[in-house]
Amino acid sequence: MARLVELVIGGTTQPWQNLGIDTDHESFALSNVKIRCDNGAPGIHSWTIALDDPDTPTIQGSIDGIATTFVAQAPQSPLRSAIGDTEVVLLDHIVVNTSDIERTSKAIEDACGAQVRRVRDAGNGVMQAFHRLENTIIEVVSGPHISSETAQLWGIAISIEDLYGLAADLGDLASPPKPATQKGRFISTIRSAAGIGVPLAMMTPHNK
């Protein structure tokens, strides 16, 4: 199964350090996904995906307009990362915006072998399609608010051990936790004042 390896985002690591994440001069980990900052404009600029084939050569390509590096799948040791005093359990999902959900979902399926697991009507013309990778979910979103000709990486959601404790520690930088769309889970978002340049949601872990 394909795996998300890396996301390249704009800006520097300093705002992420301010949230309590350990970083080096240009990168850090969110669970087992590397986040690399390129000092560019805000937003998620590209991703690296390991395909389920040890013989895959490293290729610079595209998934429906999203700059993509494809690499060979390789054994990976579990990584641990934290925000402040709480563990990041996993990168729960990454949101991809598109003006054509069928086109983008087909491109993801063709490139990664990840079929659509579920399609959801979120109301007001917004549709969501979900693809499962080995270590995260790709949530494809379309709606009247999206007009870009190609798909775009938009935001990240992470699962953390102590959502309420971290939200309290972050104060005005995080919204108060509230019920998430997924039953039994709660969510808090990092506010734009944090300056990380990408939408980031923090969620309680999946129900067991």
Side-chain angles (χ1 to χ4, degrees):
M1 185 180 292
R3 183 177 77 238
L4 179 63
V5 175
E6 180 182 81
L7 296 172
V8 178
I9 66 173
T12 70
T13 58
Q14 185 60 57
W16 299 87
Q17 290 179 26
N18 296 341
L19 294 178
I21 297 174
D22 290 331
T23 76
D24 60 27
H25 70 285
E26 69 168 15
S27 66
F28 56 94
L30 290 176
S31 184
N32 57 10
V33 178
K34 180 180 179 181
I35 310 297
R36 179 161 56 87
C37 298
D38 68 357
N39 294 303
I44 308 175
H45 299 164
S46 64
W47 56 7
T48 296
I49 294 177
L51 300 179
D52 193 15
D53 182 352
D55 297 321
T56 298
T58 298
I59 298 173
Q60 302 296 327
S62 169
I63 297 179
D64 197 24
I66 299 171
T68 306
T69 301
F70 296 101
V71 297
Q73 186 71 281
Q76 180 179 353
S77 300
L79 299 178
R80 296 176 66 89
S81 63
I83 301 181
D85 295 327
T86 190
E87 182 181 353
V88 178
V89 178
L90 78 158
L91 197 155
D92 193 88
H93 60 273
I94 179 166
V95 179
V96 172
N97 282 350
T98 180
S99 58
D100 188 330
I101 198 167
E102 292 185 1
R103 183 196 69 219
T104 302
S105 283
K106 184 177 187 304
I108 291 170
E109 182 175 339
D110 289 347
C112 305
Q115 298 181 348
V116 175
R117 293 295 187 94
R118 182 167 68 95
V119 176
R120 177 176 178 266
D121 185 341
N124 299 315
V126 176
M127 298 295 295
Q128 299 166 301
F130 301 88
H131 301 256
R132 179 179 292 279
L133 301 184
E134 179 184 310
N135 60 339
T136 193
I137 298 291
I138 302 173
E139 177 185 330
V140 184
V141 178
S142 68
H145 61 296
I146 300 170
S147 58
S148 173
E149 292 184 1
T150 62
Q152 295 181 328
L153 298 169
W154 182 75
I156 307 166
I158 57 176
S159 295
I160 62 175
E161 283 288 356
D162 184 6
L163 177 64
Y164 285 87
L166 181 59
D169 290 343
L170 291 176
D172 292 341
L173 294 181
S175 66
K178 65 179 183 180
T181 301
Q182 296 169 323
K183 186 176 180 180
R185 300 183 73 191
F186 291 82
I187 187 170
S188 169
T189 56
I190 297 297
R191 293 191 166 117
S192 59
I196 61 174
V198 297
L200 175 66
M202 306 178 299
M203 304 181 71
T204 52
H206 289 270
N207 297 322
K208 297 181 180 179

